[in-house]
Amino acid sequence: MVGPEDAGACSGRNPKLLPVPAPDPVGQDRKVIRATGGFGGGVGAVEPPEEADEEEEADEEEETPPRQLLQRYLAAAGEQLEPGLCYCPLPAGQAGAPPPSAAPRSDACLLGSGSKHRGAEVADGRAPRHEGMTNGDSGFLPGRDCRDLEEARGLARAGGRESRRRRPYGRLRLEGPGDEDADGAGSPSDWASPLEDPLRSCCLVAADAQEPEGAGSDSGDSPASSCSSSEDSEQRGVGAGGPEEGAPPATSAERTNGGAEPRLGFSDIHFNSRNTFQVSRGQSARDHLPPAGPPVPLPAAEQGPAGASARARRSGGFADFFTRNLFPKRTKELKSVVHSAPGWKLFGKVPPRENLQKTSKIIQQEYEARTGRTCKPPPQSSRRKNFEFEPLSTTALILEDRPSNLPAKSVEEALRHRQEYDEMVAEAKKRGVSVADREASLELIKLDISRTFPSLYIFQKGGPYHDVLHSILGAYTCYRPDVGYVQGMSFIAAVLILNLEEADAFIAFANLLNKPCQLAFFRVDHSMVFASVMKDIKEGDKNSSPALKS
Amino acid sequence: MAKAYDHLFKLLLIGDSGVGKTCLIIRFAEDNFNNTYISTIGIDFKIRTVDIEGKKIKLQVWDTAGQERFKTITTAYYRGAMGIILVYDITDEKSFENIQNWMKSIKENASAGVERLLLGNKCDMEAKRKVQKEQADKAFSSLARDILLKSGGRRSGNGNKPPSTDLKTCDKKNTNKCSLG
């Protein structure tokens, strides 16, 4: 229901764009664009096969995408909890320079296509992509990186994955951003931002995971190797995505855009966003763009029939540029968002690399490693804040090669970083959530749903919000397998459900739990909780209670 | 002022999530039951004072969250406990299997020689029973001094005796042991 409606709204914006399933190579660019264009829409665009339907659907429904995403998450959780959907093994982002460039693309695309793609994304969401969802989650973060890498490399495959991922974004964003679209890009960006951070982290994790598994040694030894590994993973992912995408022919517009060429253009855009700050801006811009996307001045050529899709894509790129100027305030918001950005990718639903499915443990490890690592300096700072409790968090970049403009690591340093990384991985393993744990989480969710505000009689089995609550909690478990479900979350989600639409509720929920304090609590990270409490106490002492000082 | 009690015993309830620990504790402390118990987050406790052999025994019963995630929190309460009640759900085989894990947790965290009590909850749902009493007897025969008792957390219908009685008994014995020990 909602989906169709939303789609309608979306359709108004860029229904055509969404459906466009470009060829693998093209698809990447297009997908990227789509994703960038609309939070929701971008994702939808990713999947080519459903495009036509999606377009229609998109036109009809915008809201559905987020819901679909959630559902997908849930489905994914049910089916693939273990694989760590969110963990896309995409190290590309981490890889460094190449990925950043790619990232900008995706952002740009998302921005531009956002509004248009929403509808498409929604449609996509409707389409059965549950697998994609899970994968998508992981894919999101990695996806971008991969995309970037691919773009840099000129890979066509990446497109497919990206498109999927993007769709999820679009969906999620759609709901939240949907309103925002009308208002402006700002609101969407806000939503996205919190999510993005997790996603990014996920991406990073994925990369980490990959490294540990096999490439890890390489990456550790040489940052470059890590990058390559990530790229490979991305490529893999892309390849996986490609076929799928290929199946669903991209919209005419997308096709017209052509695979390679569009990519290049997009890639440029993405490059801009790569840096955390830039990315954040880009994202925010993108976010803004989706809503603003349609209004955003598109090149005349783009405006053509196929142009619609092109517009969306480009609009993403343009959006990046314009957004900054048009939405300076939002940009700030975006920055803030960027810090907590992980969520983005989740929403984006970047299709996880099916080939790269990792065990939950691996995923966790990767995730933690990721948190520790940060490809981008700005993100690191934010991450550090979020993960102060994690040991060696500052070593996020450990395995990363240094930028070419900085002196390379010495052998000793590289070895030490390698060791630190191994320690982080080991720590992550300790904390790591096993598949069994995740399954247990799902069981527990079932148990707790009916125990949530029982006096209201709306969350019990058969109640109107039983399934919604289940979906959101399950989706979050997929979204953040490192956190999973913790008793008590159901009440937070329930309160949000009572006040927001499902998709919005999920986004708000994910973002809320991404706050350092909440995250620390739900991870039952005593050291972090203790640290934060002590910090508060110290601050309090300074302000008022001298007695405490002594 | 005279103490309101002669002895204070700290008891701890552990077991899988959803087996009815909170239900038990509320039944025990407040003697009532409803279907709207919520999941315990972290830890909670109830106090009840009972008279045993002319002495006022204050029972401080700690109710823990069953989720694995909270184990790091709940295990911190093991050491101070004088008696630990392991609860499983007779309609949930897994909760019974996990008793072994809980036992292990006790061994690792609780003070040596702590009294243990195995309790099968939800006896009012006999039709759905998955864990036979004999199983429990056999599996935990090592708990020689402990009591194996099944308790129904809720009144299954008219005329059914509230399970609280059983729980009381069990607690009494437990407290006696504690006091003796």
Side-chain angles (χ1 to χ4, degrees):
Chain A
M1 299 293 289
V2 176
E5 294 176 357
D6 294 348
C10 293
S11 64
R13 296 174 181 175
N14 294 336
K16 294 177 181 179
L17 295 176
L18 295 175
V20 180
D24 295 348
V26 173
Q28 294 176 348
D29 294 347
R30 293 174 183 175
K31 291 177 180 178
V32 172
I33 294 169
R34 293 175 183 175
T36 55
F39 299 104
V43 175
V46 175
E47 296 174 357
E50 298 173 355
E51 291 178 351
D53 295 347
E54 291 178 355
E55 290 180 354
E56 293 175 357
E57 292 177 357
D59 293 347
E60 294 176 354
E61 301 174 355
E62 290 178 352
E63 295 176 356
T64 47
R67 292 183 181 179
Q68 291 176 352
L69 292 175
L70 291 175
Q71 292 176 355
R72 292 178 182 177
Y73 279 106
L74 294 175
E79 299 173 0
Q80 302 178 351
L81 294 177
E82 298 177 357
L85 303 175
C86 299
Y87 309 107
C88 303
L90 302 174
Q94 295 177 348
S101 65
R105 288 182 180 177
S106 63
D107 292 352
C109 293
L110 293 174
L111 293 172
S113 62
S115 62
K116 296 178 180 179
H117 294 303
R118 289 181 179 177
E121 290 179 356
V122 173
D124 293 349
R126 291 179 179 177
R129 291 183 180 179
H130 299 291
E131 294 176 357
M133 294 292 290
T134 55
N135 293 338
D137 293 349
S138 59
F140 284 80
L141 297 174
R144 289 182 179 180
D145 294 345
C146 294
R147 291 176 184 178
D148 294 346
L149 295 174
E150 290 176 356
E151 291 176 356
R153 296 177 181 178
L155 298 176
R157 294 177 182 178
R161 291 181 180 177
E162 291 179 355
S163 65
R164 290 181 181 177
R165 295 175 182 177
R166 292 173 184 176
R167 287 182 180 178
Y169 287 107
R171 291 177 183 176
L172 292 174
R173 293 178 181 177
L174 288 175
E175 293 181 357
D179 297 345
E180 293 176 355
D181 291 350
D183 297 349
S187 60
S189 66
D190 292 348
W191 290 18
S193 64
L195 295 174
E196 290 178 357
D197 289 343
L199 293 174
R200 292 178 181 175
S201 64
C202 292
C203 294
L204 294 174
V205 172
D208 293 346
Q210 292 179 352
E211 292 177 359
E213 289 177 354
S217 63
D218 295 347
S219 63
D221 296 346
S222 62
S225 65
S226 67
C227 294
S228 65
S229 66
S230 66
E231 290 178 356
D232 294 345
S233 66
E234 290 179 355
Q235 291 177 352
R236 295 176 186 175
V238 173
E244 293 177 355
E245 292 179 357
T251 58
S252 62
E254 292 178 352
R255 292 177 183 177
T256 58
N257 289 343
E261 294 177 355
R263 293 175 184 174
L264 295 175
F266 291 107
S267 64
D268 292 348
I269 293 168
H270 292 295
F271 289 103
N272 292 334
S273 64
R274 273 293 172 171
N275 295 335
T276 54
F277 273 89
Q278 291 178 350
V279 172
S280 64
R281 291 182 182 178
Q283 291 175 352
S284 63
R286 294 173 184 174
D287 294 346
H288 298 297
L289 292 177
V296 174
L298 300 174
E302 291 178 354
Q303 291 179 351
S309 63
R311 288 180 183 177
R313 297 173 185 174
R314 293 183 180 180
S315 64
F318 286 94
D320 291 345
F321 298 117
F322 289 95
T323 54
R324 292 180 184 178
N325 296 331
L326 297 175
F327 309 92
K329 294 179 180 178
R330 290 180 180 177
T331 306
K332 293 178 180 178
E333 293 177 355
L334 294 175
K335 290 178 181 179
S336 63
V337 172
V338 173
H339 293 292
S340 61
W344 265 97
K345 293 179 179 179
L346 290 176
F347 291 106
K349 277 192 174 181
V350 178
R353 297 171 185 174
E354 296 174 357
N355 296 338
L356 296 178
Q357 291 181 347
K358 300 176 181 179
T359 63
S360 61
K361 289 181 180 178
I362 294 172
I363 292 169
Q364 289 179 345
Q365 294 175 359
E366 290 178 353
Y367 184 90
E368 291 182 355
R370 190 194 296 168
T371 56
R373 296 180 172 182
T374 325
C375 298
K376 306 166 184 178
Q380 290 178 349
S381 63
S382 65
R383 290 180 182 176
R384 289 178 183 178
K385 291 178 181 178
N386 293 335
F387 302 96
E388 288 177 339
F389 56 98
E390 293 186 359
L392 301 178
S393 63
T394 57
T395 57
L397 298 179
I398 278 185
L399 300 181
E400 300 291 338
D401 288 337
R402 294 218 171 113
S404 58
N405 60 330
L406 295 175
K409 292 179 182 177
S410 66
V411 176
E412 292 178 357
E413 186 177 21
L415 289 175
R416 180 164 51 80
H417 286 173
R418 180 68 196 170
Q419 182 181 352
E420 290 174 348
Y421 173 74
D422 290 340
E423 290 173 355
M424 287 194 294
V425 171
E427 184 65 19
K429 287 181 179 178
K430 289 180 182 178
R431 298 181 189 171
V433 178
S434 66
V435 172
D437 288 340
R438 196 181 291 181
E439 290 176 348
S441 285
L442 293 180
E443 289 300 315
L444 205 52
I445 289 171
K446 292 178 184 174
L447 187 67
D448 280 355
I449 291 174
S450 59
R451 295 204 284 173
T452 302
F453 296 124
S455 57
L456 297 180
Y457 295 104
I458 56 177
F459 295 107
Q460 276 69 27
K461 198 164 188 177
Y465 291 115
H466 177 273
D467 293 342
V468 175
L469 183 56
H470 190 200
S471 297
I472 288 178
L473 294 174
Y476 186 78
T477 300
C478 294
Y479 173 63
R480 289 299 296 269
D482 60 314
V483 176
Y485 171 73
V486 180
Q487 290 185 325
M489 284 183 176
S490 61
F491 293 91
I492 296 173
V495 170
L496 293 173
I497 289 170
L498 292 174
N499 292 282
L500 296 169
E501 286 300 310
E502 181 175 348
D504 293 349
F506 176 78
I507 294 170
F509 180 71
N511 290 338
L512 179 60
L513 295 192
N514 200 39
K515 302 292 181 185
C517 189
Q518 284 86 337
L519 194 61
F521 173 79
F522 283 110
R523 295 180 80 169
V524 193
D525 191 317
H526 300 300
S527 61
M528 181 174 178
V529 172
F530 180 75
S532 67
V533 170
M534 290 304 293
K535 183 179 179 183
D536 292 342
I537 291 175
K538 289 178 181 177
E539 292 177 353
D541 289 348
K542 292 177 182 176
N543 295 332
S544 58
S545 55
L548 294 177
K549 292 180 180 178
S550 60
Chain B
M1 289 180 65
K3 288 170 79 176
Y5 55 88
D6 297 309
H7 297 285
L8 171 63
F9 294 121
K10 294 180 183 176
L11 305 179
L12 186 69
L13 275 171
I14 58 174
D16 278 9
S17 186
V19 298
K21 297 182 295 297
T22 302
C23 171
L24 276 172
I25 197 178
I26 291 179
R27 165 66 82 191
F28 176 66
E30 301 172 2
D31 194 23
N32 69 44
F33 174 87
N34 67 59
N35 276 308
T36 60
Y37 293 120
I38 65 173
S39 55
T40 303
I41 299 166
I43 197 155
D44 191 9
F45 75 90
K46 292 283 184 185
I47 292 177
R48 175 172 175 176
T49 304
V50 297
D51 283 329
I52 296 179
E53 298 174 359
K55 292 195 175 182
K56 286 191 173 180
I57 309 295
K58 186 175 184 180
L59 296 173
Q60 195 179 77
V61 188
W62 291 83
D63 177 25
T64 64
Q67 189 181 4
E68 178 78 17
R69 192 71 62 88
F70 291 110
K71 261 197 172 180
T72 51
I73 293 174
T74 59
T75 51
Y77 292 82
Y78 283 32
R79 187 158 296 283
M82 300 154 118
I84 296 178
I85 304 171
L86 297 106
V87 186
Y88 68 91
D89 178 354
I90 65 163
T91 66
D92 181 0
E93 207 158 357
K94 191 167 185 181
S95 73
F96 179 70
E97 293 169 356
N98 279 334
I99 288 292
Q100 289 291 3
N101 295 328
W102 290 108
M103 292 287 286
K104 186 178 177 184
S105 187
I106 291 174
K107 191 174 183 180
E108 292 173 350
N109 299 287
S111 47
V114 64
E115 297 296 334
R116 292 167 298 173
L117 174 70
L118 182 64
L119 191 152
N121 200 14
K122 305 188 185 178
C123 282
D124 55 316
M125 301 171 74
E126 192 63 39
K128 294 181 181 177
R129 177 188 283 273
K130 298 277 181 57
V131 181
Q132 301 304 319
K133 189 172 184 303
E134 294 70 27
Q135 278 181 265
D137 285 331
K138 183 178 180 181
F140 296 97
S141 58
S142 61
L143 301 179
R145 298 182 303 165
D146 299 350
I147 306 159
L148 176 71
L149 116 165
K150 311 267 184 178
S151 148
R154 75 171 81 178
R155 301 166 198 258
S156 58
N158 297 333
N160 278 6
K161 191 177 180 182
S164 58
T165 305
D166 293 339
L167 185 56
K168 280 184 194 171
T169 307
C170 112
D171 277 322
K172 277 184 186 175
K173 293 186 179 180
N174 208 332
T175 57
N176 284 334
K177 288 179 185 174
C178 289
S179 60
L180 294 174

